[in-house]
Amino acid sequence: MQAPSVGGVMLPRGNGETVRLSRGASLTDFAEKINANPASLVAVMMNLGEMVTATQSVSDETLQLLGDEMNYTVQIVSPEEEDRELLESFSIEFGEDEGGEEALMSRPPVVTVMGHVDHGKTRLLDAIRKTNVIAGEAGGITQHIGAYQVATEVNGEDRAITFIDTPGHEAFTAMRARGAKSTDIAILVVAANDGVMPQTIEALNHAKAADVPIVVAVNKIDVEGADPTKVRGQLTEFGLVAEEYGGDTMFVDISAKQGLNIDSLLEAVVLTADASLDLRANPEQDAQGIAIEAHLDKGRGAVATVLVQRGTLRVGDTMVAGDAYGRVRAMLDDKGETVEEAGPSTPVLVLGLTNVPGAGDNFLVVDEDRTARQIAEKRAARERNAAFAKRVRRVSLEDLDKVLKAGEIQQLNLIIKGDASGSVEALESSLLQLDVGEEVDIRVLHRGVGAVTESDIDLAMGSDAIVIGFNVRAAGRAAQMAEREGVDVRYYSVIYQAIEEIEAALKGMLKPEYEEVELGTAEIREVFRSSKLGNIAGVLIRSGEVKRNTKARLLRDGKVIAESLNIEGLRRFKDDVTEIREGFEGGINLGNFNDIKVDDVIATYEMREKPRA
Ligand code: GDP
């Protein structure tokens, strides 16, 4: 059988052999795997009625479709799988405890606090931190390192609980999206005076999707009008039935502000963990876990808070976290005190990494420095490749709508830089969740902690990305470079603002800014009364020109008497005219507005769209 051709290009044809492709691969990646010309794959897609450029990253379905058409079996490899394979090539297994049952020891539950905005998540985390410093270490000032551990007494036993210090489900979900399971139990905070709100339900759904048991903290019971019973009723509809109503969810009424019932809440967490989870880990093996927060510190270099999930992490260990690696130079606990080792469920601040890992990146201790470096380098290379594979054309938020309408791009590329990996991850996941319909996709080409650099601008130029700086600015010559190359760099310090603006741009609704421009002023010389039209102002135009159908305000003795008036009628002698210029006389009718007097001034203006900076 002859190989089919389109427009003279020979189409590649396989024999059903398997081709493994990374998620988000481009036609060029595919072509490379089968030794074909990328252009021929573009031709195949065109044949199938889809316009795809060679370097654009395409969906799983498109890759499958292409494979079917050319008789290859396509196997899509997720980033997690790829990483697992990478580690396997070093004979490392991530995520499983070594040894059998007897090697496992119980470990504290790790908790994330979620709920609707303003329902008291932050306040609760503060209250818990303040009231339950681990015994014997009281007096130590707790540091914000991204997580902390507290102790509580349950049935006469001292039990520890680890709290992730970033409230909300965004960070939780960002980590989960990267395959990291950070949380064992979710505390769902619901304000008793406000009841179940949209983000309450969202948080609940995220926890359920992750198969994480929920303890409900009914907060603000000190506030007048608080109705904890109503909250219980409302949540029943979402499958959370309180124990006292025969369900299996523990509800605890608290006041984060007054520190009321915090202990009962902690007890409920422990009891829920005991009842529904088997939290055990091997403390004896090389440490593994996840990075939950990281930033660059001027004096100390890369600083990362990691949560040990199994094994024990020790000073001097060689570790790799995401694409960062290094020897643990020192470790600090949540009280800012140096520690030598950290066991399962313990969060510690680690010094000594080469750079900043992302929130949700896994970490593991390896035997040799060389292995750590190789794993980190391979991961970094993979990220870079993925970023460059996704290059498309340059674009700014303002003309996005136009470009989209013209069908020129199907995705908005973003580069996100921020002050801490937690905020970067949270922003990224929220942006990726924006639902703006079929036509456009958001893709984050690169994310990182630190200032916007020249290399970020480089990447943005090459791939028409927009750069977002969250609580960071452009460093060195990056700002000039962006300006010169026309790269759109946007700075934000509030996540919601960034999300709103990007969403608005995606929907083509980025509102133009208007400014008022004065057109002309007219002095009233005489007032004529007309039975049909009401009062007519006999005027002399003092400045500019007055046009019909423009907006006007009325000034008396320099004060504004009326706003938002309309020049409905404009006459010169007996004729209707559209405008009267400075120095001429005429008659103005302000429609229904009749409160005019001699010597009043009618000032007309229009709103003009302001060009954006
Ligand atoms: P978040 O957005 O869920 O983190 O909410 P915050 O912790 O920032 O709390 C929002 C507001 O509610 C703040 O002004 C808190 O002081 C207040 N607040 C939180 N918990 C309580 C409480 O138990 N009682 C009262 N009266 N106010 C509270």
Side-chain angles (χ1 to χ4, degrees):
M1 195 181 88
Q2 204 178 335
S5 84
V6 174
V9 183
M10 295 304 271
L11 297 190
R13 193 142 183 90
N15 289 312
E17 56 266 56
T18 300
V19 179
R20 287 166 58 85
L21 291 167
S22 309
R23 171 152 300 145
S26 65
L27 299 194
T28 304
D29 299 327
F30 198 151
E32 221 166 76
K33 289 272 161 77
I34 57 170
N35 265 327
N37 180 349
S40 62
L41 269 58
V42 174
V44 174
M45 283 314 297
M46 215 146 33
N47 232 13
L48 293 170
E50 238 186 274
M51 268 299 294
V52 181
T53 63
T55 53
Q56 170 187 346
S57 134
V58 297
S59 67
D60 291 4
E61 295 80 58
T62 301
L63 293 172
Q64 297 286 7
L65 186 72
L66 192 59
D68 289 349
E69 189 65 15
M70 302 187 302
N71 201 24
Y72 286 100
T73 309
V74 170
Q75 203 181 351
I76 309 281
V77 190
S78 69
E80 293 86 55
E81 278 172 76
E82 259 181 297
D83 202 58
R84 193 170 322 123
E85 285 167 18
L86 169 66
L87 295 178
E88 266 169 23
S89 71
F90 289 93
S91 308
I92 298 170
E93 210 178 303
F94 181 87
E96 293 292 322
D97 288 271
E98 288 168 16
E101 278 287 307
E102 64 289 347
L104 301 179
M105 306 277 282
S106 83
R107 64 166 180 87
V110 180
V111 177
T112 295
V113 175
M114 307 185 193
H116 195 72
V117 64
D118 272 350
H119 278 197
K121 300 180 291 294
T122 311
R123 192 75 190 243
L124 174 61
L125 279 163
D126 285 344
I128 295 170
R129 191 203 319 265
K130 278 201 202 95
T131 52
N132 288 71
V133 186
I134 292 221
E137 290 171 299
I141 301 161
T142 54
Q143 313 275 314
H144 280 270
I145 64 165
Y148 63 84
Q149 209 171 54
V150 297
T152 188
E153 208 185 280
V154 180
N155 298 330
E157 240 185 287
D158 248 348
R159 302 283 298 265
I161 305 174
T162 302
F163 282 88
I164 305 275
D165 209 356
T166 321
H169 58 271
E170 288 87 358
F172 167 81
T173 305
M175 289 199 199
R176 199 170 150 254
R178 316 186 70 190
K181 190 173 188 309
S182 58
T183 299
D184 299 311
I185 290 187
I187 291 184
L188 183 64
V189 178
V190 189
N193 57 341
D194 205 17
V196 170
M197 298 300 275
Q199 284 162 28
T200 314
I201 298 161
E202 222 172 89
L204 186 153
N205 287 335
H206 281 280
K208 275 194 185 159
D211 226 354
V212 168
I214 297 170
V215 172
V216 181
V218 183
N219 192 28
K220 304 200 186 185
I221 54 165
D222 59 298
V223 176
E224 225 190 271
D227 192 349
T229 312
K230 187 169 156 208
V231 173
R232 284 168 173 74
Q234 286 177 322
L235 282 176
T236 306
E237 287 173 39
F238 299 96
L240 290 186
V241 183
E243 278 189 330
E244 55 267 40
Y245 298 158
D248 53 12
T249 303
M250 297 190 72
F251 281 64
V252 184
D253 296 342
I254 63 161
S255 164
K257 190 175 177 184
Q258 300 184 346
L260 217 65
N261 291 345
I262 303 296
D263 282 339
S264 315
L265 179 64
L266 297 181
E267 186 180 357
V269 167
V270 171
L271 294 177
T272 300
D274 288 350
S276 50
L277 301 168
D278 176 24
L279 300 177
R280 291 186 299 162
N282 176 357
E284 302 297 338
Q285 64 173 85
D286 283 342
Q288 293 189 344
I290 56 169
I292 51 181
E293 180 71 84
H295 67 275
L296 260 185
D297 185 287
K298 271 206 193 75
R300 299 186 290 186
V303 171
T305 298
V306 301
L307 176 69
V308 179
Q309 294 182 309
R310 62 196 69 80
T312 298
L313 182 64
R314 295 187 173 84
V315 171
D317 279 349
T318 295
M319 69 187 283
V320 46
D323 61 1
Y325 68 98
R327 249 198 219 189
V328 180
R329 197 169 71 225
M331 294 197 296
L332 302 174
D333 66 9
D334 50 7
K335 281 139 216 109
E337 281 159 20
T338 56
V339 289
E340 286 300 312
E341 54 177 49
S345 296
T346 312
V348 275
L349 197 79
V350 171
L351 308 186
L353 291 175
T354 47
N355 61 319
V356 180
D361 279 347
N362 62 36
F363 89 80
L364 49 136
V365 166
V366 296
D367 292 338
E368 293 184 49
D369 292 354
R370 195 163 48 104
T371 314
R373 196 188 66 237
Q374 282 172 352
I375 293 173
E377 280 170 0
K378 287 230 163 80
R379 284 175 171 171
R382 198 176 54 212
E383 282 259 322
R384 258 198 317 277
N385 287 344
F388 277 95
K390 291 167 192 158
R391 292 173 159 222
V392 269
R393 300 191 42 251
R394 208 167 312 169
V395 71
S396 79
L397 272 193
E398 279 78 14
D399 59 27
L400 183 64
D401 189 39
K402 253 183 285 164
V403 180
L404 287 176
K405 281 208 179 100
E408 287 185 40
I409 62 166
Q410 294 86 17
Q411 61 190 37
L412 170 62
N413 291 332
L414 295 175
I415 292 171
I416 305 177
K417 293 303 282 287
D419 56 338
S421 47
S423 52
V424 171
E425 305 292 337
L427 182 56
E428 174 180 4
S429 80
S430 307
L431 286 173
L432 291 177
Q433 278 166 25
L434 284 180
D435 186 11
V436 283
E438 294 280 290
E439 320 81 57
V440 59
D441 246 4
I442 296 187
R443 230 171 249 284
V444 178
L445 300 188
H446 174 67
R447 72 194 71 72
V449 173
V452 175
T453 63
E454 287 171 58
S455 107
D456 295 327
I457 305 295
D458 246 337
L459 179 58
M461 276 162 58
S463 38
D464 261 323
I466 289 165
V467 182
I468 294 181
F470 187 74
N471 279 331
V472 294
R473 300 274 132 182
R477 296 207 310 278
Q480 292 155 2
M481 184 173 165
E483 174 92 44
R484 189 174 65 236
E485 301 294 342
V487 171
D488 193 359
V489 183
R490 306 202 153 230
Y491 300 107
Y492 301 96
S493 52
V494 183
I495 287 196
Y496 286 106
Q497 207 183 344
I499 294 167
E500 267 175 31
E501 218 173 290
I502 302 273
E503 184 172 25
L506 285 173
K507 288 180 176 161
M509 295 191 324
L510 198 58
K511 288 203 183 57
E513 283 176 29
Y514 287 98
E515 62 187 349
E516 193 181 302
V517 179
E518 186 172 292
L519 298 175
T521 54
E523 187 184 304
I524 301 182
R525 292 294 189 79
E526 228 173 312
V527 176
F528 304 101
R529 297 177 206 283
S530 147
S531 54
K532 219 167 70 197
L533 299 170
N535 289 348
I536 310 275
V539 300
L540 170 68
I541 310 301
R542 279 291 183 197
S543 68
E545 56 184 25
V546 169
K547 290 186 189 168
R548 188 144 33 119
N549 284 330
T550 51
K551 290 214 165 302
R553 57 172 64 95
L554 190 76
L555 304 164
R556 187 169 296 160
D557 299 326
K559 289 200 200 88
V560 177
I561 298 293
E563 280 278 10
S564 291
L565 303 174
N566 199 26
I567 308 289
E568 298 215 339
L570 196 60
R571 280 194 165 192
R572 225 175 118 57
F573 303 112
K574 294 266 170 248
D575 302 326
D576 281 316
V577 292
T578 52
E579 57 186 55
I580 308 178
R581 270 181 295 137
E582 186 177 329
F584 291 90
E585 289 181 333
I588 292 178
N589 171 16
L590 292 172
N592 291 331
F593 186 80
N594 287 313
D595 176 23
I596 52 173
K597 291 206 173 99
V598 172
D599 287 341
D600 285 356
V601 171
I602 297 171
T604 69
Y605 59 93
E606 73 183 9
M607 301 306 287
R608 278 200 200 138
E609 196 175 326
K610 210 162 118 182
R612 275 180 181 261

